[in-house]
């Protein structure tokens, strides 16, 4: 008989009422991964994507992650601020996240609501992605900004 796994190695999956989790093909999650889908939320993840340990996907509306993505440890992806902030010139951002195919997200990155990350992008460690990134972009920083374009990466 094996001893019980420590609490930190367990992941969490929470599905709210009418939430939809769509997994296409083989997807891998590391220990401590947290996935939270609010009521009626949709999360889709493509074939060959993996997410390392201690990362989280928390969705209120919709998050889409493509095929062949490499998501490192400590990554947080969310499609909502989870609160309301009002001021006169505030423009409301769309509340969904789209991550393309073959995207590499470095450790301790935050991907925030309203973001589209194009196919083949690489996001440097510790970045905060709060605006769209076109395909083939290497981006880093707080907030993440393009460093190079027309890049390619391979596992």
């Amino acid at each position: 008989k094996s001893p019980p796994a420590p609490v930190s190695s367990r992941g969490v999956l929470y599905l709210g009422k009418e939430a939809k989790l769509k997994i296409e093909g083989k997807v891998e999650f590391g220990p401590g991964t947290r996935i939270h889908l609010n009521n009626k939320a949709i999360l889709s993840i493509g074939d060959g994507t993996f997410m390392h340990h201690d990362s989280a996907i928390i969705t209120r509306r919709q998050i889409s992650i493509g095929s062949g993505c490499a998501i490192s440890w400590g990554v947080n992806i969310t499609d909502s601020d989870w609160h309301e902030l009002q001021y006169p010139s505030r423009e409301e951002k769309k509340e969904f996240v789209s991550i393309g195919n073959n995207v590499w997200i470095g450790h301790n990155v935050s991907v925030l609501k309203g973001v589209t990350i194009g196919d083949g992008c690489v996001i440097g460690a510790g970045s905060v992605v709060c605006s769209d990134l076109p395909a083939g972009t290497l981006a880093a920083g707080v907030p993440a900004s393009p460093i190079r374009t027309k890049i390619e990466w391979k596992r």
Side-chain angles (χ1 to χ4, degrees), residues 4 19 37 42 48 55 65 71 73 105 121 130 144 155:
L37 280 74
I42 301 168
S55 291
I65 300 172
I71 301 172
W73 65 89
I105 300 177
C121 284
C130 53
R155 286 188 199 190

Side-chain angles (χ1 to χ4, degrees), residues 39-60:
N39 296 339
K40 299 183 181 181
I42 301 168
L43 171 61
S44 61
I45 304 174
D47 183 43
T49 288
F50 68 89
M51 187 171 211
H52 279 284
H53 61 85
D54 298 322
S55 291
I57 301 172
I58 304 171
T59 183
R60 176 178 254 169

Side-chain angles (χ1 to χ4, degrees), residues 56-105:
I57 301 172
I58 304 171
T59 183
R60 176 178 254 169
R61 301 276 189 268
Q62 184 173 355
I63 295 176
S64 172
I65 300 172
S67 298
C69 294
I71 301 172
S72 196
W73 65 89
V75 171
N76 291 295
I77 302 169
T78 188
D79 64 353
S80 177
D81 292 331
W82 300 97
H83 61 271
E84 290 188 32
L85 179 63
Q86 302 292 327
Y87 52 90
S89 62
R90 179 171 166 83
E91 289 183 35
E92 196 59 36
K93 287 180 85 172
K94 63 186 186 255
E95 284 197 350
F96 58 88
V97 170
S98 177
I99 298 172
N101 297 315
N102 200 44
V103 171
W104 176 8
I105 300 177

Side-chain angles (χ1 to χ4, degrees), residues 85-145:
L85 179 63
Q86 302 292 327
Y87 52 90
S89 62
R90 179 171 166 83
E91 289 183 35
E92 196 59 36
K93 287 180 85 172
K94 63 186 186 255
E95 284 197 350
F96 58 88
V97 170
S98 177
I99 298 172
N101 297 315
N102 200 44
V103 171
W104 176 8
I105 300 177
H107 68 277
N108 295 325
V109 167
S110 291
V111 178
L112 305 180
K113 82 173 189 177
V115 168
T116 297
I117 299 174
D119 294 344
C121 284
V122 176
I123 312 300
S127 298
V128 176
V129 183
C130 53
S131 60
D132 294 349
L133 295 170
T137 299
L138 168 62
V142 179
S145 57

